[in-house]
């Protein structure tokens, strides 16, 4: 798959900005899902600019941990939020809860080995669109674990 056009990426960026504003304004009730996948807001520090960047990201839960897939919709380019997390794994997420938005400070790590296999199976069973994305790109799609700072050690 070829990389997406600059115009397409600009449009996606504007849509994501709208989603962030709407998610915050509605306490995470809208848009609560993308393609049927629950959404959280992930704030990372830009690896080149040092500025905070917030993007809506689909997620699943593994106990107290949040699991996100760095699929970038099947594009060959790695999502910027994952590149940012590889540079600085400390991030913040906002997730809709019964009382509105919960803000959680997290540390990101890439799942490897058996953990990768287990979490990939879990996420792709729940959301088969991830399997479609693997056929659209030649890169191995990372599975990212977001561990809350107050979580007990694994």
């Amino acid at each position: 798959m070829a990389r997406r056009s600059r115009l397409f990426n600009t449009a996606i960026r504007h849509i994501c900005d709208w989603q962030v504003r709407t998610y915050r304004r509605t306490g995470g009730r809208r848009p609560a899902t993308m393609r049927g996948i629950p959404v959280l807001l992930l704030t990372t520090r830009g690896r080149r600019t040092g500025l905070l960047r917030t993007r809506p990201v689909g997620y699943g839960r593994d106990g107290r941990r949040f699991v996100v897939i760095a699929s970038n919709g099947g594009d060959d380019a790695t999502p910027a939020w994952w590149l940012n997390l590889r540079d600085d794994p400390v991030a913040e997420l906002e997730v809709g809860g019964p009382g509105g938005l919960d803000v959680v400070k997290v540390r990101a790590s890439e799942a490897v080995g058996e953990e990768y296999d287990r979490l990939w199976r879990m996420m792709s069973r729940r959301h088969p669109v991830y399997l479609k994305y693997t056929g659209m790109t030649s890169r191995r799609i990372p599975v990212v674990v977001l561990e809350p700072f107050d979580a007990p050690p694994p």
Side-chain angles (χ1 to χ4, degrees), residues 130-143:
Y130 290 127
L131 295 173
K132 178 182 173 187
Y133 294 158
T134 60
M136 297 168 61
T137 183
S138 58
R139 69 184 174 90
R140 183 170 196 241
I141 297 175
V143 173

Side-chain angles (χ1 to χ4, degrees), residues 42 44 80-91 108 144 146:
L42 179 63
T44 62
W81 60 262
W82 173 230
L83 297 174
N84 292 342
L85 284 173
R86 285 193 330 203
D87 224 44
D88 179 359
V90 176
V144 182
L146 304 172

Side-chain angles (χ1 to χ4, degrees), residues 28-143:
R29 290 184 307 279
R30 301 242 191 285
T33 64
M34 289 187 298
R35 297 185 144 207
I37 304 169
V39 174
L40 58 76
L41 300 183
L42 179 63
T43 301
T44 62
R45 185 162 303 280
R47 65 196 180 286
R48 291 185 297 223
T49 65
L51 299 175
L52 295 178
R53 306 286 188 198
T54 302
R55 286 292 168 249
V57 180
Y59 77 97
R61 296 295 298 260
D62 183 48
R64 295 206 50 227
R65 305 180 318 162
F66 297 83
V67 179
V68 294
I69 306 294
S71 64
N72 205 13
D75 193 79
D76 283 336
T78 302
W81 60 262
W82 173 230
L83 297 174
N84 292 342
L85 284 173
R86 285 193 330 203
D87 224 44
D88 179 359
V90 176
E92 188 174 89
L93 61 82
E94 299 165 69
V95 63
L101 284 180
D102 293 326
V103 179
V104 182
K105 190 171 183 180
V106 294
R107 179 173 308 280
S109 62
E110 183 172 5
V112 295
E114 291 178 15
E115 182 181 44
Y116 177 94
D117 295 339
R118 180 180 68 81
L119 294 174
W120 177 261
R121 277 192 310 273
M122 176 188 85
M123 293 297 287
S124 61
R125 276 189 197 128
R126 291 180 190 170
H127 311 293
V129 71
Y130 290 127
L131 295 173
K132 178 182 173 187
Y133 294 158
T134 60
M136 297 168 61
T137 183
S138 58
R139 69 184 174 90
R140 183 170 196 241
I141 297 175
V143 173

Side-chain angles (χ1 to χ4, degrees), residues 3-53:
R3 286 193 170 203
R4 296 182 179 130
S5 72
R6 176 174 265 163
L7 177 62
F8 181 87
N9 288 335
T10 299
I12 292 296
R13 199 168 24 258
H14 286 293
I15 290 167
C16 287
D17 290 343
W18 171 83
Q19 288 177 311
V20 168
R21 288 190 307 272
T22 304
Y23 193 92
R24 284 179 173 154
R25 189 172 52 248
T26 65
R29 290 184 307 279
R30 301 242 191 285
T33 64
M34 289 187 298
R35 297 185 144 207
I37 304 169
V39 174
L40 58 76
L41 300 183
L42 179 63
T43 301
T44 62
R45 185 162 303 280
R47 65 196 180 286
R48 291 185 297 223
T49 65
L51 299 175
L52 295 178
R53 306 286 188 198

